Amino acid sequence: MKRSGTADMPLHYGHIPKWLAERMSRLGLAITEAIIAEYGTAEVLRRLSDPFWFQSLGAVMGMDWHSSGITTSVMGALKSSVNPLSKELGIYICGGKGKSSKNTPQELLLYSDRNGLNGNELLRCSKLSAKVDNTAVQDGFQLYMHSFVVNTEGLWTVVQQGMQDGSSTARRYHWHSAAMQSFVEDPHTAICGRNQGPILNMVAKAASPARDAILSMTAEHPSRMIAEVQQLIMPRHHDVRSKDVDLKRLGAMLWLTHDKQPADFEELLLLQGMGPRTLQSMALVSEVIYGTPSRFTDPARFSFANGGKDGHPFPVPVNVYDETLSILSKAIDKAKIGQGEKLEAIQKLAELSRQAEKDFTPNDNFDELLERERSESWKYGGKTIFGDARPPGGGQLNLF
């Protein structure tokens, strides 16, 4: 069994305000439905196993773009919205954070029984993935969250996270069933991250081949290991900086949605009256749904869709968020009854952004862009965990 990637992030505590949690659930469901409609449930599992795509998904949903909170909040939002429709969607999410993780066996066995799956085997995979990351590989991170996502065909993905109090960091582990082998024979593609000391395998007596394989990895050249596994290491700074994003990609998208606006945009989207700020959000949401893996190397860029709950890179524009949700949800509903023009139009947005990048040269105005988004946030119902955004000069809330 291959772990598909890891992500190292600053350890953040706090809560998700109700106004954002509800919207995250709805947007997460809409994105999931769109991916299933276009590619099927297996593609949802593959994407959840990609640490870069997962981080981008959390950013586009309005979470802190780099923190450990993305893991629990995204999986919690998806579970609350996807599971009630699991029969229709063909996908189900078990477990979660803390005590919820202990419910994984019961939830998994119940879902397996309803869908004719081998529940005991799936439960074994769930337990072993946690055992390997929590015990077999002692990297200093103690698991506190375990989510097991399965479809009606028995394919699965695990997203789990551990914390290391001493360094105030968290590490997210991704597993994917597509490369089925064995948990006791080279279970990891690689183990990447800062050196935490000796790696010790403590799985079982029959795991000596795995112990040898894991220990032998310390002799591998780092370039070989990095090439074989996806590793995302997020910075400690909370604010979004120009070095955190691909400025050509971001600039081309902003130019397209705010400045150029092709004459056929309204006809293309079949949505007369939708403003450039909503187009900006829709373009990034479209890329999360339809983008190829290489498009998610800079997850911070996706925070420019709906901001962040702590005000980075700017307050969450609630009005834009709601309009984006409405457009995407209506498009999915139309596609379900065979009228997929709007869903195709949303897909076209991602294509137009990619085309615009070919000859685009970004300006050195990243700070001005952030200032504009922050100063205009109040126009779009901007909110953070600290309160509502206010007009400049009118006692604007100090978020930074």
Side-chain angles (χ1 to χ4, degrees):
M1 182 61 55
K2 300 293 187 182
R3 183 203 285 156
S4 53
T6 63
D8 287 9
M9 301 153 288
L11 186 60
H12 279 194
Y13 300 94
H15 71 284
I16 309 299
K18 185 177 179 180
W19 59 263
L20 179 58
E22 292 175 346
R23 289 173 172 85
M24 287 181 65
S25 293
R26 292 167 56 200
L27 182 56
L29 174 62
I31 289 174
T32 300
E33 287 185 302
I35 294 173
I36 291 174
E38 184 71 20
Y39 307 108
T41 57
E43 179 64 11
V44 175
L45 298 178
R46 186 197 67 77
R47 293 194 184 203
L48 289 174
S49 74
D50 180 338
F52 289 89
W53 184 87
F54 190 98
Q55 202 76 12
S56 301
L57 173 65
V60 88
M61 290 168 71
M63 275 299 297
D64 300 328
W65 65 280
H66 75 315
S67 77
S68 61
I70 274 187
T71 310
T72 55
S73 60
V74 167
M75 293 310 301
L78 290 178
K79 184 175 183 178
S80 67
S81 59
V82 168
N83 281 8
L85 300 174
S86 61
K87 186 175 181 180
E88 174 187 345
L89 297 176
I91 195 170
Y92 190 75
I93 301 172
C94 306
K97 178 183 178 182
K99 293 181 179 179
S100 296
S101 65
K102 297 180 180 180
N103 297 330
T104 303
Q106 179 182 356
E107 294 170 347
L108 187 52
L109 290 174
L110 181 61
Y111 182 78
S112 299
D113 184 60
R114 289 175 176 174
N115 292 275
L117 301 175
N118 187 338
N120 290 328
E121 177 59 25
L122 290 173
L123 183 56
R124 176 178 176 271
C125 293
S126 169
K127 290 181 176 179
L128 280 173
S129 64
K131 183 66 72 173
V132 168
D133 284 336
N134 203 44
T135 304
V137 180
Q138 296 191 4
D139 54 4
F141 292 84
Q142 188 72 24
L143 292 186
Y144 66 92
M145 178 261 184
H146 173 85
S147 291
F148 192 95
V149 191
V150 60
N151 70 1
T152 52
E153 298 175 357
L155 300 175
W156 56 266
T157 280
V158 167
V159 179
Q160 55 193 7
Q161 185 157 289
M163 70 169 67
Q164 186 184 62
D165 291 328
S167 63
S168 296
T169 57
R171 176 169 292 174
R172 187 172 67 238
Y173 305 89
H174 296 259
W175 293 75
H176 191 207
S177 64
M180 286 292 294
Q181 288 187 4
S182 169
F183 281 95
V184 296
E185 293 182 9
D186 190 20
H188 296 91
T189 303
I191 302 171
C192 297
R194 294 182 177 87
N195 191 340
Q196 303 293 334
I199 297 174
L200 179 63
N201 182 351
M202 297 175 61
V203 175
K205 293 181 180 179
S208 58
R211 284 197 295 271
D212 293 338
I214 293 173
L215 291 172
S216 69
M217 288 174 59
T218 59
E220 292 287 356
H221 193 279
S223 62
R224 176 180 180 273
M225 297 201 302
I226 292 173
E228 293 179 349
V229 69
Q230 296 187 83
Q231 178 197 23
L232 175 63
I233 299 180
M234 305 303 288
R236 289 188 176 275
H237 60 264
H238 200 170
D239 55 315
V240 179
R241 303 175 184 176
S242 59
K243 66 180 180 180
D244 299 318
V245 301
D246 186 319
L247 292 179
K248 184 172 184 178
R249 288 177 175 173
L250 177 63
M253 183 274 297
L254 294 174
W255 171 76
L256 180 68
T257 56
H258 288 264
D259 300 324
K260 187 175 187 296
Q261 291 190 46
D264 62 346
F265 237 31
E266 288 188 353
E267 180 181 354
L268 168 69
L269 292 172
L270 306 177
L271 295 167
Q272 285 79 7
M274 184 171 71
R277 186 57 187 81
T278 304
L279 275 178
Q280 174 180 327
S281 178
M282 282 302 311
L284 288 166
V285 170
S286 175
E287 191 163 329
V288 165
I289 297 171
Y290 299 105
T292 57
S294 63
R295 303 286 299 179
F296 303 104
T297 54
D298 58 333
R301 176 165 52 96
F302 293 88
S303 64
F304 282 82
N306 291 307
K309 70 177 181 65
D310 287 351
H312 296 289
F314 46 82
V316 176
V318 172
N319 298 342
V320 172
Y321 204 127
D322 289 345
E323 189 169 15
T324 302
L325 263 172
S326 176
I327 293 168
L328 183 56
S329 298
K330 289 178 181 178
I332 292 170
D333 289 340
K334 289 286 187 180
K336 289 178 181 178
I337 59 175
Q339 300 176 10
E341 294 87 355
K342 288 188 177 181
L343 202 54
E344 293 172 2
I346 292 172
Q347 181 178 5
K348 188 67 175 178
L349 271 175
E351 297 176 5
L352 287 173
S353 294
R354 289 194 294 271
Q355 293 172 8
E357 292 170 17
K358 294 179 180 178
D359 301 313
F360 185 83
T361 301
N363 296 321
D364 185 19
N365 61 347
F366 186 78
D367 291 340
E368 288 83 352
L369 166 64
L370 291 182
E371 182 58 34
R372 185 188 71 183
E373 288 282 3
R374 292 168 182 168
S375 64
E376 296 183 355
S377 176
W378 64 275
K379 298 179 182 179
Y380 308 113
K383 280 182 177 290
T384 71
I385 59 174
F386 308 110
D388 296 340
R390 299 176 183 175
Q396 185 176 7
L397 187 67
N398 183 7
L399 302 175
F400 314 101

